[in-house]
Amino acid sequence: MTILSDKPTRLRVTAAVLLIAVLAGAVALMRGNPAQSSEAAPAKVAAADPAKPAAVPAKAANPAAPAAAQAPAVATLGAVQVDRDELVRQLQAMPPEARAQLQGNRAGLDQWLRSRLAEKALVEQARAQGWQDKPELKRAFQAAQERIVLQTYLDSVSRAPDGYPADADLQAAYERAKPQLAQPAMYRVSQIFLPAALGDNDAVASARKQALDLVKRAQAPKADFAALAKTYSQDTTTRAQGGDIGYVPLAQLTPEMRPAIEQLKAGEVSAPVQSAAGFHILKVVDLRAASVTPFEQVKEELRAALRSQRQELAARAYLEGLLNAGTVSIDGAALNAAFEQSASAAQAQPALAARAP
């Protein structure tokens, strides 16, 4: 059992934690200003004209206007705080069920707020020490920023139109997917199991005799199969439930059972079925015929799959368009030099580690 302590936890300042905190802020910022959807072809990048001066950003309409008031704090730790807007963004990103559970779990919510305050305090401490100015972190920040910009921008220019797919497209996709949407016949099976290992002739003879007697009793009018299973079945996993195995397709039954089950109608009891483990007396309690998942049940899943497929194809075409818009040149000598440099650096690391105190 894991017990969460309310005492402050000793935190280690690591580059990984700082990077996560900064990236979380970047993602939150982008969520506040989502990219607009567009399916236009890649825009041509105009070459800079040295004769023309760079555009000067327009001045603010009212430089003296005060900054927007900060949202009230929900939790504070010294100079750091979690304000209401940040909490609202976090809650809105949750599924409704998780949000409702968290609302009723004050201890869990308090723990999240404490953790968030600790993260913010850690970031401020690291910034005060100039941690963000480390060369390796700057490279990591740049790489992360490029990945975020690339993915979000590519998503915006390749997003499928709002009206896609049309109802006809959904219906066609459903027809193509029917083989995968087929549901096999499901049998609700109960059993009485009598163990008798193959090769033990005496045990097999005794179990067969008992099984034949139980079949007669189970097939009698108004017989209580569940009561017989609770009394005589030696299958510890189903005996307490009156031998009920539940709904299963034929494929999940043993090969010896399948022919007997296929021949039974709902409510009928089989003759003894012998397997390597013993004898099984089977009853089909209920039968669900084979079917195909209805269109309405998978409609939204199909819509999401078609939109995702359309966007993936559009993104690939967009990237290919960028490559085809110019001439790609690869310097083989520089490429080889980069591999040699990386190999030399890898070889030098063990030696440096060995000389370290």
Side-chain angles (χ1 to χ4, degrees), residues 192-218:
I192 299 172
F193 172 66
L194 304 174
L198 287 177
D200 187 341
N201 296 333
D202 292 340
V204 169
S206 175
R208 179 181 286 111
K209 181 179 179 180
Q210 184 182 15
L212 289 170
D213 177 65
L214 287 171
V215 166
K216 291 180 181 179
R217 296 171 64 179

Side-chain angles (χ1 to χ4, degrees), residues 34 227 252 290:
Q252 290 186 11

Side-chain angles (χ1 to χ4, degrees), residues 191-277:
Q191 74 160 345
I192 299 172
F193 172 66
L194 304 174
L198 287 177
D200 187 341
N201 296 333
D202 292 340
V204 169
S206 175
R208 179 181 286 111
K209 181 179 179 180
Q210 184 182 15
L212 289 170
D213 177 65
L214 287 171
V215 166
K216 291 180 181 179
R217 296 171 64 179
Q219 291 178 342
K222 299 182 180 181
D224 189 341
F225 189 93
L228 291 172
K230 289 180 180 180
T231 303
Y232 297 102
S233 180
Q234 300 303 305
D235 181 15
T236 56
T237 60
T238 62
R239 181 174 58 195
Q241 294 79 38
D244 187 13
I245 298 175
Y247 283 95
V248 291
L250 282 177
Q252 290 186 11
L253 297 173
T254 63
E256 298 87 357
M257 293 182 180
R258 294 171 196 167
I261 292 295
E262 280 187 297
Q263 296 174 8
L264 295 177
K265 297 178 181 178
E268 293 183 341
V269 177
S270 73
V273 175
Q274 186 177 10
S275 69

Side-chain angles (χ1 to χ4, degrees), residues 176-190:
R176 292 194 299 270
K178 273 187 175 180
Q180 291 75 40
L181 297 173
Q183 299 290 329
M186 301 291 287
Y187 299 84
R188 184 176 180 184
V189 178
S190 291

Side-chain angles (χ1 to χ4, degrees), residues 164-181 292-293 295 298-307 309:
Y164 181 83
D167 290 343
D169 297 321
L170 285 172
Q171 192 63 48
Y174 176 71
E175 294 299 327
R176 292 194 299 270
K178 273 187 175 180
Q180 291 75 40
L181 297 173
V292 176
T293 305
F295 173 71
V298 296
K299 180 178 180 180
E300 294 309 316
E301 293 182 25
L302 288 173
R303 187 191 307 279
L306 289 177
R307 288 185 63 83
Q309 184 183 48

Side-chain angles (χ1 to χ4, degrees), residues 132-152:
Q132 69 279 8
D133 296 326
K134 289 179 173 287
E136 63 271 24
L137 284 186
K138 286 187 174 181
R139 291 192 294 270
F141 294 156
Q142 182 178 358
Q145 183 184 47
E146 288 179 358
R147 286 195 298 271
I148 294 171
V149 171
L150 183 152
Q151 190 59 57
T152 55

